Short mmCIF file of all heavy atoms in Angstrom, two decimals:
data_model
loop_
_atom_site.label_atom_id
_atom_site.label_comp_id
_atom_site.label_asym_id
_atom_site.label_seq_id
_atom_site.Cartn_x
_atom_site.Cartn_y
_atom_site.Cartn_z
N ASN A 46 0.34 2.86 -10.58
CA ASN A 46 1.60 3.55 -10.28
C ASN A 46 1.38 4.79 -9.40
O ASN A 46 2.23 5.13 -8.59
CB ASN A 46 2.30 3.93 -11.58
CG ASN A 46 2.83 2.71 -12.32
OD1 ASN A 46 2.96 1.64 -11.73
ND2 ASN A 46 3.11 2.85 -13.60
N ILE A 47 0.24 5.45 -9.56
CA ILE A 47 -0.09 6.57 -8.67
C ILE A 47 -0.25 6.06 -7.24
O ILE A 47 0.21 6.70 -6.28
CB ILE A 47 -1.36 7.28 -9.15
CG1 ILE A 47 -1.06 8.13 -10.40
CG2 ILE A 47 -1.95 8.17 -8.06
CD1 ILE A 47 -2.29 8.75 -11.02
N ALA A 48 -0.91 4.92 -7.08
CA ALA A 48 -1.07 4.34 -5.74
C ALA A 48 0.29 4.01 -5.13
O ALA A 48 0.54 4.29 -3.95
CB ALA A 48 -1.94 3.09 -5.82
N VAL A 49 1.18 3.43 -5.92
CA VAL A 49 2.53 3.12 -5.43
C VAL A 49 3.25 4.41 -5.05
O VAL A 49 3.90 4.49 -4.00
CB VAL A 49 3.34 2.35 -6.50
CG1 VAL A 49 4.79 2.17 -6.03
CG2 VAL A 49 2.70 0.99 -6.78
N ALA A 50 3.12 5.44 -5.89
CA ALA A 50 3.83 6.70 -5.65
C ALA A 50 3.40 7.38 -4.36
O ALA A 50 4.13 8.21 -3.82
CB ALA A 50 3.61 7.64 -6.83
N ASN A 51 2.24 7.01 -3.84
CA ASN A 51 1.73 7.64 -2.61
C ASN A 51 2.03 6.85 -1.35
O ASN A 51 1.59 7.23 -0.26
CB ASN A 51 0.22 7.87 -2.74
CG ASN A 51 -0.11 9.13 -3.53
OD1 ASN A 51 -0.05 10.23 -3.01
ND2 ASN A 51 -0.43 8.96 -4.80
N ARG A 52 2.77 5.75 -1.47
CA ARG A 52 3.12 4.98 -0.27
C ARG A 52 4.07 5.77 0.62
O ARG A 52 4.93 6.51 0.14
CB ARG A 52 3.78 3.65 -0.66
CG ARG A 52 2.80 2.61 -1.14
CD ARG A 52 3.51 1.34 -1.57
NE ARG A 52 4.20 0.68 -0.49
CZ ARG A 52 3.66 -0.23 0.34
NH1 ARG A 52 2.38 -0.56 0.19
NH2 ARG A 52 4.36 -0.79 1.29
N VAL A 53 3.92 5.60 1.92
CA VAL A 53 4.79 6.28 2.88
C VAL A 53 6.18 5.64 2.87
O VAL A 53 6.31 4.41 2.76
CB VAL A 53 4.18 6.22 4.29
CG1 VAL A 53 5.13 6.81 5.33
CG2 VAL A 53 2.84 6.96 4.32
N ASP A 54 7.21 6.48 2.96
CA ASP A 54 8.60 6.01 3.05
C ASP A 54 8.99 5.12 1.87
O ASP A 54 9.62 4.07 2.04
CB ASP A 54 8.85 5.28 4.37
CG ASP A 54 8.66 6.18 5.58
OD1 ASP A 54 8.91 7.39 5.45
OD2 ASP A 54 8.26 5.68 6.64
N LEU A 55 8.62 5.55 0.69
CA LEU A 55 8.96 4.79 -0.52
C LEU A 55 10.46 4.77 -0.72
O LEU A 55 11.14 5.78 -0.53
CB LEU A 55 8.28 5.47 -1.72
CG LEU A 55 7.96 4.62 -2.94
CD1 LEU A 55 6.99 3.51 -2.58
CD2 LEU A 55 7.35 5.50 -4.03
N GLY A 56 11.00 3.60 -1.10
CA GLY A 56 12.44 3.46 -1.31
C GLY A 56 12.90 4.07 -2.61
O GLY A 56 12.13 4.24 -3.56
N ALA A 57 14.20 4.37 -2.68
CA ALA A 57 14.76 5.03 -3.87
C ALA A 57 14.65 4.15 -5.11
O ALA A 57 14.44 4.66 -6.22
CB ALA A 57 16.21 5.39 -3.61
N ALA A 58 14.78 2.84 -4.96
CA ALA A 58 14.69 1.95 -6.12
C ALA A 58 13.29 1.99 -6.73
O ALA A 58 13.13 1.97 -7.96
CB ALA A 58 15.05 0.52 -5.72
N ILE A 59 12.29 2.07 -5.87
CA ILE A 59 10.91 2.15 -6.37
C ILE A 59 10.68 3.52 -7.03
O ILE A 59 10.02 3.61 -8.07
CB ILE A 59 9.90 1.93 -5.22
CG1 ILE A 59 10.19 0.61 -4.50
CG2 ILE A 59 8.48 1.93 -5.77
CD1 ILE A 59 10.17 -0.60 -5.39
N SER A 60 11.21 4.57 -6.43
CA SER A 60 11.09 5.90 -7.04
C SER A 60 11.72 5.92 -8.42
O SER A 60 11.16 6.48 -9.37
CB SER A 60 11.75 6.95 -6.14
OG SER A 60 11.08 7.07 -4.90
N ASP A 61 12.89 5.30 -8.56
CA ASP A 61 13.53 5.22 -9.87
C ASP A 61 12.64 4.53 -10.89
O ASP A 61 12.51 4.98 -12.04
CB ASP A 61 14.86 4.47 -9.77
CG ASP A 61 15.98 5.33 -9.21
OD1 ASP A 61 15.81 6.57 -9.16
OD2 ASP A 61 17.03 4.78 -8.83
N ALA A 62 12.03 3.43 -10.47
CA ALA A 62 11.16 2.69 -11.39
C ALA A 62 9.95 3.53 -11.81
O ALA A 62 9.52 3.48 -12.97
CB ALA A 62 10.68 1.39 -10.72
N LEU A 63 9.41 4.31 -10.89
CA LEU A 63 8.28 5.18 -11.23
C LEU A 63 8.70 6.27 -12.20
O LEU A 63 7.97 6.61 -13.14
CB LEU A 63 7.70 5.80 -9.96
CG LEU A 63 6.97 4.83 -9.01
CD1 LEU A 63 6.66 5.50 -7.69
CD2 LEU A 63 5.68 4.31 -9.65
N VAL A 64 9.88 6.84 -11.99
CA VAL A 64 10.37 7.88 -12.91
C VAL A 64 10.61 7.30 -14.29
O VAL A 64 10.36 7.95 -15.31
CB VAL A 64 11.66 8.51 -12.34
CG1 VAL A 64 12.32 9.43 -13.38
CG2 VAL A 64 11.36 9.29 -11.07
N GLU A 65 11.06 6.06 -14.34
CA GLU A 65 11.33 5.42 -15.63
C GLU A 65 10.07 5.18 -16.46
O GLU A 65 10.15 4.96 -17.66
CB GLU A 65 12.07 4.09 -15.41
CG GLU A 65 13.52 4.27 -14.99
CD GLU A 65 14.18 2.98 -14.53
OE1 GLU A 65 13.53 1.91 -14.67
OE2 GLU A 65 15.30 3.03 -14.02
N THR A 66 8.90 5.25 -15.83
CA THR A 66 7.66 5.12 -16.60
C THR A 66 7.44 6.33 -17.51
O THR A 66 6.67 6.25 -18.46
CB THR A 66 6.43 4.98 -15.68
OG1 THR A 66 6.23 6.21 -14.95
CG2 THR A 66 6.59 3.82 -14.71
N GLN A 67 8.10 7.45 -17.18
CA GLN A 67 7.96 8.70 -17.93
C GLN A 67 6.51 9.20 -17.96
O GLN A 67 6.13 9.95 -18.85
CB GLN A 67 8.51 8.54 -19.35
CG GLN A 67 9.98 8.16 -19.39
CD GLN A 67 10.52 8.05 -20.81
OE1 GLN A 67 10.02 8.69 -21.73
NE2 GLN A 67 11.55 7.25 -20.98
N ASP A 68 5.74 8.78 -16.99
CA ASP A 68 4.35 9.23 -16.87
C ASP A 68 4.34 10.50 -16.03
O ASP A 68 4.66 10.47 -14.83
CB ASP A 68 3.51 8.13 -16.21
CG ASP A 68 2.02 8.43 -16.22
OD1 ASP A 68 1.65 9.58 -15.91
OD2 ASP A 68 1.23 7.53 -16.53
N VAL A 69 3.97 11.62 -16.63
CA VAL A 69 4.04 12.92 -15.96
C VAL A 69 3.18 12.93 -14.69
O VAL A 69 3.60 13.44 -13.65
CB VAL A 69 3.59 14.05 -16.91
CG1 VAL A 69 3.52 15.39 -16.16
CG2 VAL A 69 4.56 14.16 -18.08
N THR A 70 1.99 12.36 -14.77
CA THR A 70 1.08 12.35 -13.61
C THR A 70 1.66 11.53 -12.46
O THR A 70 1.62 11.94 -11.30
CB THR A 70 -0.29 11.78 -14.00
OG1 THR A 70 -0.81 12.52 -15.09
CG2 THR A 70 -1.26 11.85 -12.84
N VAL A 71 2.22 10.39 -12.78
CA VAL A 71 2.82 9.52 -11.75
C VAL A 71 4.01 10.22 -11.10
O VAL A 71 4.16 10.22 -9.87
CB VAL A 71 3.26 8.18 -12.37
CG1 VAL A 71 4.08 7.36 -11.37
CG2 VAL A 71 2.05 7.39 -12.84
N ILE A 72 4.85 10.84 -11.90
CA ILE A 72 6.03 11.51 -11.37
C ILE A 72 5.64 12.71 -10.51
O ILE A 72 6.26 12.99 -9.48
CB ILE A 72 6.98 11.93 -12.51
CG1 ILE A 72 7.51 10.68 -13.23
CG2 ILE A 72 8.14 12.76 -11.99
CD1 ILE A 72 8.29 10.96 -14.49
N THR A 73 4.56 13.40 -10.90
CA THR A 73 4.07 14.51 -10.08
C THR A 73 3.63 14.00 -8.71
O THR A 73 3.94 14.63 -7.68
CB THR A 73 2.88 15.20 -10.78
OG1 THR A 73 3.29 15.65 -12.08
CG2 THR A 73 2.40 16.40 -9.98
N GLU A 74 2.91 12.89 -8.67
CA GLU A 74 2.50 12.30 -7.39
C GLU A 74 3.71 11.91 -6.55
O GLU A 74 3.74 12.12 -5.34
CB GLU A 74 1.62 11.07 -7.63
CG GLU A 74 0.26 11.38 -8.24
CD GLU A 74 -0.67 12.09 -7.28
OE1 GLU A 74 -0.57 11.85 -6.06
OE2 GLU A 74 -1.49 12.89 -7.76
N LEU A 75 4.72 11.35 -7.19
CA LEU A 75 5.94 10.95 -6.49
C LEU A 75 6.62 12.17 -5.88
O LEU A 75 7.03 12.15 -4.71
CB LEU A 75 6.88 10.24 -7.46
CG LEU A 75 8.27 9.88 -6.90
CD1 LEU A 75 8.16 8.85 -5.79
CD2 LEU A 75 9.18 9.37 -8.02
N LEU A 76 6.76 13.24 -6.65
CA LEU A 76 7.42 14.45 -6.15
C LEU A 76 6.64 15.07 -4.99
O LEU A 76 7.24 15.66 -4.09
CB LEU A 76 7.59 15.46 -7.28
CG LEU A 76 8.60 15.08 -8.36
CD1 LEU A 76 8.56 16.09 -9.50
CD2 LEU A 76 10.01 14.99 -7.79
N ASN A 77 5.33 14.95 -5.03
CA ASN A 77 4.51 15.49 -3.94
C ASN A 77 4.58 14.63 -2.67
O ASN A 77 4.15 15.08 -1.60
CB ASN A 77 3.05 15.61 -4.39
CG ASN A 77 2.80 16.89 -5.18
OD1 ASN A 77 3.20 17.96 -4.77
ND2 ASN A 77 2.14 16.77 -6.33
N ASN A 78 5.09 13.41 -2.80
CA ASN A 78 5.23 12.52 -1.64
C ASN A 78 6.57 12.84 -0.97
O ASN A 78 7.62 12.32 -1.35
CB ASN A 78 5.19 11.06 -2.10
CG ASN A 78 5.30 10.08 -0.95
OD1 ASN A 78 5.52 10.47 0.21
ND2 ASN A 78 5.18 8.80 -1.24
N THR A 79 6.54 13.71 0.01
CA THR A 79 7.79 14.16 0.63
C THR A 79 8.49 13.08 1.44
O THR A 79 9.65 13.23 1.82
CB THR A 79 7.53 15.38 1.54
OG1 THR A 79 6.52 15.04 2.51
CG2 THR A 79 7.05 16.58 0.74
N SER A 80 7.81 11.96 1.71
CA SER A 80 8.46 10.87 2.44
C SER A 80 9.18 9.91 1.50
O SER A 80 9.90 9.01 1.97
CB SER A 80 7.43 10.09 3.27
OG SER A 80 6.60 9.30 2.44
N ALA A 81 8.99 10.07 0.19
CA ALA A 81 9.63 9.17 -0.77
C ALA A 81 11.10 9.54 -0.94
O ALA A 81 11.45 10.71 -1.11
CB ALA A 81 8.92 9.25 -2.12
N ALA A 82 11.95 8.52 -0.91
CA ALA A 82 13.38 8.74 -1.14
C ALA A 82 13.63 8.80 -2.65
O ALA A 82 13.20 7.91 -3.39
CB ALA A 82 14.20 7.62 -0.52
N ILE A 83 14.31 9.85 -3.10
CA ILE A 83 14.63 10.01 -4.52
C ILE A 83 16.12 10.28 -4.64
O ILE A 83 16.64 11.20 -4.00
CB ILE A 83 13.83 11.15 -5.17
CG1 ILE A 83 12.32 10.93 -4.98
CG2 ILE A 83 14.16 11.28 -6.65
CD1 ILE A 83 11.46 12.05 -5.56
N ARG A 84 16.81 9.47 -5.43
CA ARG A 84 18.25 9.66 -5.59
C ARG A 84 18.55 11.03 -6.17
O ARG A 84 17.78 11.58 -6.96
CB ARG A 84 18.83 8.58 -6.51
CG ARG A 84 18.64 7.16 -6.03
CD ARG A 84 19.36 6.21 -6.97
NE ARG A 84 18.72 4.90 -6.98
CZ ARG A 84 18.95 3.94 -6.09
NH1 ARG A 84 19.78 4.17 -5.09
NH2 ARG A 84 18.33 2.78 -6.18
N GLU A 85 19.71 11.57 -5.80
CA GLU A 85 20.09 12.90 -6.28
C GLU A 85 20.21 12.92 -7.80
O GLU A 85 19.80 13.88 -8.45
CB GLU A 85 21.43 13.32 -5.64
CG GLU A 85 21.76 14.78 -5.89
CD GLU A 85 22.94 15.25 -5.07
OE1 GLU A 85 23.35 14.54 -4.12
OE2 GLU A 85 23.47 16.33 -5.39
N GLU A 86 20.73 11.83 -8.37
CA GLU A 86 20.87 11.77 -9.84
C GLU A 86 19.50 11.79 -10.51
O GLU A 86 19.30 12.42 -11.56
CB GLU A 86 21.63 10.51 -10.26
CG GLU A 86 23.07 10.45 -9.77
CD GLU A 86 23.18 9.96 -8.33
OE1 GLU A 86 22.13 9.70 -7.69
OE2 GLU A 86 24.32 9.86 -7.83
N THR A 87 18.54 11.08 -9.90
CA THR A 87 17.17 11.06 -10.45
C THR A 87 16.54 12.44 -10.35
O THR A 87 15.89 12.92 -11.28
CB THR A 87 16.32 10.03 -9.68
OG1 THR A 87 16.95 8.75 -9.76
CG2 THR A 87 14.93 9.95 -10.26
N LEU A 88 16.75 13.10 -9.21
CA LEU A 88 16.21 14.44 -9.01
C LEU A 88 16.81 15.42 -10.02
O LEU A 88 16.10 16.28 -10.57
CB LEU A 88 16.50 14.90 -7.58
CG LEU A 88 15.51 15.88 -6.93
CD1 LEU A 88 14.11 15.30 -6.91
CD2 LEU A 88 15.97 16.24 -5.54
N ASP A 89 18.10 15.28 -10.28
CA ASP A 89 18.76 16.15 -11.26
C ASP A 89 18.10 16.02 -12.63
O ASP A 89 17.90 17.01 -13.34
CB ASP A 89 20.25 15.81 -11.37
CG ASP A 89 21.04 16.24 -10.14
OD1 ASP A 89 20.51 17.05 -9.36
OD2 ASP A 89 22.17 15.76 -9.95
#
């Protein structure tokens, strides 16, 4: 999941799935990936 979270231009649906894992390390990697699309509701 960390490898997935580091993909360039990650789609919002994939970001949602990563957040749903509730894995703090994975979500941190996702947030650090500035090219990943994250829905506003997910960010909230």
Side-chain angles (χ1 to χ4, degrees):
N46 291 342
I47 286 174
V49 174
N51 279 280
R52 283 177 64 88
V53 175
D54 297 330
L55 206 61
I59 305 303
S60 295
D61 281 345
L63 291 170
V64 171
E65 287 170 7
T66 66
Q67 300 182 27
D68 188 315
V69 174
T70 305
V71 171
I72 296 172
T73 303
E74 292 290 329
L75 174 66
L76 290 174
N77 278 312
N78 182 354
T79 56
S80 73
I83 304 178
R84 300 185 208 276
E85 190 170 347
E86 296 82 358
T87 303
L88 209 58
D89 288 344

